[in-house]
């Protein structure tokens, strides 16, 4: 804990905040709670987990499947019952219908909040409850409806996902944070939920009288492939989130995380600069996955090096998330500065660490890291990029342009920015833009920042006739003609 306390203090001294990853759904099978629970049926912690008898013929209690392959039930010979696990068998689900479990997990939050942490990312919130009657799921297998489920994806998830009552649990998490939150030290909570319907994700905001997360992760952009990476599709996904939320629901955007291939791998290295530009100029909070600020790609992880259970349990390496989880590339040394030389890291270091690393980019004024730092600086300095405003100007296959402005009726040009991105494959396109309702500022502008870091900002830009290369982006301060 001394190391953690030193880390937290150093982060706060730098004016930053530290969020912890809170995983309430399950514990390790090596946790003392589970060891006690599995020891005998009369254990005081027996109902802290979900134990059931089999189906009478040696099989599990029902047809529920694990996300990582196989039945979601594991037989335990100690007491002759099965325990439930949505994820791996080494991760038994806690029983959140037990008041003792809820109280214990609230105390986990309080422990860290008392130490001074600033909040939590709450993992997999939609998995906290399951149908108490353990009813079988219906499944779709080879186009046929059946109760013979062969995977988690085949299930309809009527009884195993987003069950009634889980929002009450999320609200109770928020209540604990609010116990510690004040004007000088606000506490923060973001929730993770992948759901087929956006409206179900938006519900995680809660409401004014029953708040839940400060915001749930917005994954609308993270699933876009290179073929979907067009101005039209981007504008539609941006509008979908903004239209689904109210003015008091703070927006956010995610382009990369530990469950998806890295941006530079998904979209191509040439497009990763424009992707960061988009992320850091949209309204609301951007979430950057480690390494995206230097343009890291997926690492090469062989089958013998694979540790992700989603691949190991299915025998399918294409399901592995290990490539996007390789160690951070700090420098050119052995193990990329992530671990000491000679140490065997959990996952192999990418061989690209020799040319893509922090140390190299720190001295390169044209690097991705330099771009990222400059984007952060301009966000911090300009009210137009801090307030949750967004106005689409145009969206085509190749071009996306939008305005960020602050107090538009009375603001000066310094508070009005036009963002233009070329997300197409064409080397250069010619743009002809007008900025409606801003006649005093519509004809020209000054490029304050370009994704390529090559534009000469001393030359005014004619909005009616300019070119922009593939993968480039401009942040244009609007000026009068």
């Amino acid at each position: 804990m001394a190391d953690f306390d030193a880390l937290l203090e150093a982060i706060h001294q730098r004016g930053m905040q530290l969020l912890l990853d809170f995983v309430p759904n399950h514990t390790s099978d090596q946790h003392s709670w589970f060891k006690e629970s599995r020891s005998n049926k009369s254990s005081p912690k027996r109902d802290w987990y979900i134990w059931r008898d089999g189906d009478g013929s040696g099989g599990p209690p029902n047809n529920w499947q694990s996300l990582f392959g196989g039945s979601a039930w594991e037989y335990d010979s100690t007491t002759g019952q099965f325990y439930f696990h949505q994820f791996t068998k080494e991760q038994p689900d806690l029983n959140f219908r037990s008041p003792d479990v809820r109280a214990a997990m609230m105390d986990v939050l309080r422990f860290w909040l008392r130490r001074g942490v600033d909040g939590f990312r709450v993992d997999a919130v939609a998995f906290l409850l399951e149908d108490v009657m353990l009813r079988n799921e219906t499944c779709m297998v080879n186009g046929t409806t059946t109760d013979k489920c062969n995977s988690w994806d085949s299930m309809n998830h009527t009884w195993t996902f987003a069950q009634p009552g889980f929002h009450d649990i999320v609200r109770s998490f928020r209540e604990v944070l609010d116990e510690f939150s004040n004007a000088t030290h606000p506490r923060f909570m973001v929730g993770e939920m992948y759901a087929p319907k956006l409206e179900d994700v938006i519900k995680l905001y809660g409401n004014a009288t029953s708040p839940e997360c400060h915001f749930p992760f917005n994954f609308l952009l993270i699933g876009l492939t290179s073929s979907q990476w067009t101005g039209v599709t981007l504008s539609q996904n941006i509008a979908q989130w903004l239209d689904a939320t109210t003015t008091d629901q703070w927006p956010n955007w995610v382009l990369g995380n530990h469950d998806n291939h890295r941006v530079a791998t998904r979209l191509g290295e040439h497009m990763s600069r424009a992707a960061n530009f988009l992320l850091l100029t949209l309204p609301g909070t951007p979430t950057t996955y480690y390494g995206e600020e230097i343009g890291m790609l997926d690492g090469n992880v062989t089958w013998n090096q694979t540790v992700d259970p989603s691949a190991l349990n299915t025998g399918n390496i294409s399901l592995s998330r290990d490539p996007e989880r390789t160690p951070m590339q700090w420098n050119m040394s052995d193990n990329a500065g992530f671990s000491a030389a000679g140490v065997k890291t959990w996952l192999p270091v990418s061989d690209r660490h020799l040319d893509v690393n922090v140390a190299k980019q720190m001295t390169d004024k044209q690097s991705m890291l330099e771009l990222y730092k400059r984007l952060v600086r301009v966000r911090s300095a300009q009210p137009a990029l801090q307030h949750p405003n967004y106005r689409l100007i145009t969206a085509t296959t190749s071009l996306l342009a939008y305005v960020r402005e602050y107090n538009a009726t009375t603001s000066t040009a310094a508070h009005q920015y036009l963002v233009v991105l070329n997300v197409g494959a064409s080397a250069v396109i010619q743009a002809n833009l007008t900025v409606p309702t801003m006649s005093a500022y519509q004809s020209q502008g000054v490029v304050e920042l370009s994704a390529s870091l090559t534009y000469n900002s001393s030359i005014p830009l004619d909005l009616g006739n300019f070119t922009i290369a593939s993968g480039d982006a401009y942040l244009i301060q609007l000026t009068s003609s």
Side-chain angles (χ1 to χ4, degrees):
M1 289 306 299
D3 287 346
F4 176 84
D5 292 339
L7 171 66
L8 182 60
E9 182 180 2
I11 285 174
H12 285 169
Q13 286 175 350
R14 288 162 174 79
M16 299 188 296
Q17 296 181 318
L18 177 65
L19 306 185
L20 296 186
D21 193 9
F22 179 53
V23 185
N25 179 73
H26 50 264
T27 70
S28 165
D29 63 352
Q30 300 303 304
H31 196 287
S32 60
W33 293 352
F34 186 71
K35 288 183 176 181
E36 182 175 339
S37 180
R38 80 190 310 176
S39 63
N40 61 78
K41 290 183 179 180
S42 60
S43 165
K45 286 187 170 59
R46 186 65 173 182
D47 73 342
W48 282 40
Y49 297 85
I50 302 167
W51 294 93
R52 295 292 187 274
D53 291 327
D55 64 359
S57 62
N62 60 25
N63 68 353
W64 296 353
Q65 300 291 297
S66 162
L67 274 83
F68 294 145
S71 173
W73 296 94
E74 181 71 11
Y75 182 74
D76 186 66
S77 60
T78 304
T79 58
Q81 285 191 313
F82 291 80
Y83 66 85
F84 179 67
H85 58 92
Q86 288 263 33
F87 297 89
T88 74
K89 62 183 177 63
E90 294 83 12
Q91 297 171 316
D93 276 39
L94 284 164
N95 175 20
F96 266 88
R97 299 191 187 279
S98 162
D100 290 339
V101 167
R102 292 200 190 193
M105 295 306 284
M106 302 310 153
D107 284 342
V108 169
L109 293 174
R110 292 187 181 97
F111 172 86
W112 292 107
L113 290 166
R114 290 189 183 105
R115 296 201 83 88
V117 302
D118 303 291
F120 302 91
R121 168 202 177 268
V122 186
D123 181 76
V125 294
F127 294 95
L128 294 174
L129 293 175
E130 301 77 32
D131 176 45
V132 69
M133 296 174 62
L134 303 187
R135 283 170 281 196
N136 276 346
E137 291 278 15
T138 55
C139 303
M140 186 64 66
V141 178
N142 297 324
T144 302
T145 301
T146 176
D147 63 358
K148 306 297 183 183
C149 304
N150 61 6
S151 69
W152 188 87
D153 287 336
S154 72
M155 297 194 304
N156 287 339
H157 305 293
T158 306
W159 311 116
T160 52
F161 186 83
Q163 293 298 288
F166 95 91
H167 282 281
D168 295 334
I169 301 172
V170 177
R171 278 192 288 271
S172 66
F173 295 156
R174 174 64 180 269
E175 289 169 1
V176 172
L177 265 74
D178 289 347
E179 291 174 16
F180 292 82
S181 188
N182 56 59
T184 59
H185 192 180
R187 310 302 174 100
F188 170 80
M189 183 172 77
V190 56
E192 182 209 36
M193 178 181 177
Y194 292 91
K197 295 181 180 179
L198 180 59
E199 63 192 62
D200 291 332
V201 177
I202 299 299
K203 289 177 183 177
L204 281 173
Y205 280 106
N207 55 53
T209 57
S210 298
E212 296 182 36
C213 300
H214 290 86
F215 59 72
F217 278 128
N218 169 7
F219 293 131
L220 289 178
L221 301 182
I222 200 171
L224 298 181
T225 64
S226 57
S227 63
Q228 297 169 317
W229 188 254
T230 69
V232 173
T233 303
L234 286 170
S235 68
Q236 290 171 344
N237 280 266
I238 292 166
Q240 188 179 359
W241 185 272
L242 295 178
D243 291 347
T245 54
T246 59
T247 55
D248 60 345
Q249 294 174 329
W250 187 255
N252 76 101
W253 314 91
V254 182
L255 279 181
N257 69 6
H258 63 296
D259 288 329
N260 291 271
H261 293 300
R262 288 188 171 277
V263 170
T265 297
R266 293 201 316 268
L267 304 178
E269 289 184 79
H270 76 290
M271 197 56 67
S272 56
R273 284 176 177 259
N276 269 334
F277 213 97
L278 174 72
L279 180 68
L280 291 170
T281 58
L282 284 173
T285 299
T287 296
T288 296
Y289 185 49
Y290 80 91
E292 305 287 24
E293 72 276 25
I294 62 171
M296 278 180 61
L297 293 99
D298 285 3
N300 180 29
V301 182
T302 67
W303 178 255
N304 289 336
Q305 296 168 321
T306 297
V307 295
D308 186 0
S310 62
L312 295 178
N313 290 356
T314 60
N316 187 350
I317 196 171
S318 70
L319 298 178
S320 175
R321 299 162 298 172
D322 290 337
E324 58 261 30
R325 299 176 175 187
T326 55
M328 179 65 184
Q329 295 159 200
W330 293 103
N331 55 45
M332 296 174 64
S333 67
D334 291 344
N335 284 334
F338 181 84
S339 294
V343 172
K344 185 179 185 300
T345 53
W346 176 246
L347 287 169
V349 173
S350 170
D351 55 9
R352 288 293 304 273
H353 81 278
L354 296 177
D355 61 296
V356 180
N357 62 72
V358 174
K360 185 175 181 179
Q361 294 193 19
M362 285 286 285
T363 60
D364 180 359
K365 295 305 180 182
Q366 301 296 316
S367 68
M368 173 76 86
L369 181 58
E370 176 66 17
L371 170 64
Y372 193 91
K373 291 163 67 175
R374 290 179 64 178
L375 282 165
V376 170
R377 283 197 294 266
V378 73
R379 275 177 60 92
S380 301
Q382 295 299 336
L385 298 177
Q386 297 166 12
H387 291 261
N389 58 80
Y390 168 89
R391 186 154 53 90
L392 178 68
I393 300 302
T394 190
T396 67
T397 300
S398 297
L399 200 69
L400 176 65
Y402 50 90
V403 164
R404 301 294 313 282
E405 56 199 341
Y406 174 58
N407 194 15
T409 57
T410 61
S411 66
T412 64
H415 288 161
Q416 297 173 330
Y417 283 93
L418 174 67
V419 181
V420 182
L421 303 99
N422 181 354
V423 296
S426 301
V428 176
I429 63 171
Q430 183 166 326
N432 186 340
L433 298 178
T434 58
V435 184
T437 75
M438 296 170 61
S439 58
Y441 306 107
Q442 72 176 8
S443 61
Q444 65 180 25
V446 175
V447 177
E448 186 162 323
L449 185 61
S450 67
S452 61
L453 297 176
T454 58
Y455 194 91
N456 185 348
S457 61
S458 64
I459 303 174
L461 185 75
D462 180 358
L463 298 181
N465 183 17
F466 68 95
T467 59
I468 181 169
S470 172
D472 207 353
Y474 295 162
L475 178 66
I476 304 167
Q477 181 179 316
L478 296 172
T479 60
S480 59
S481 55

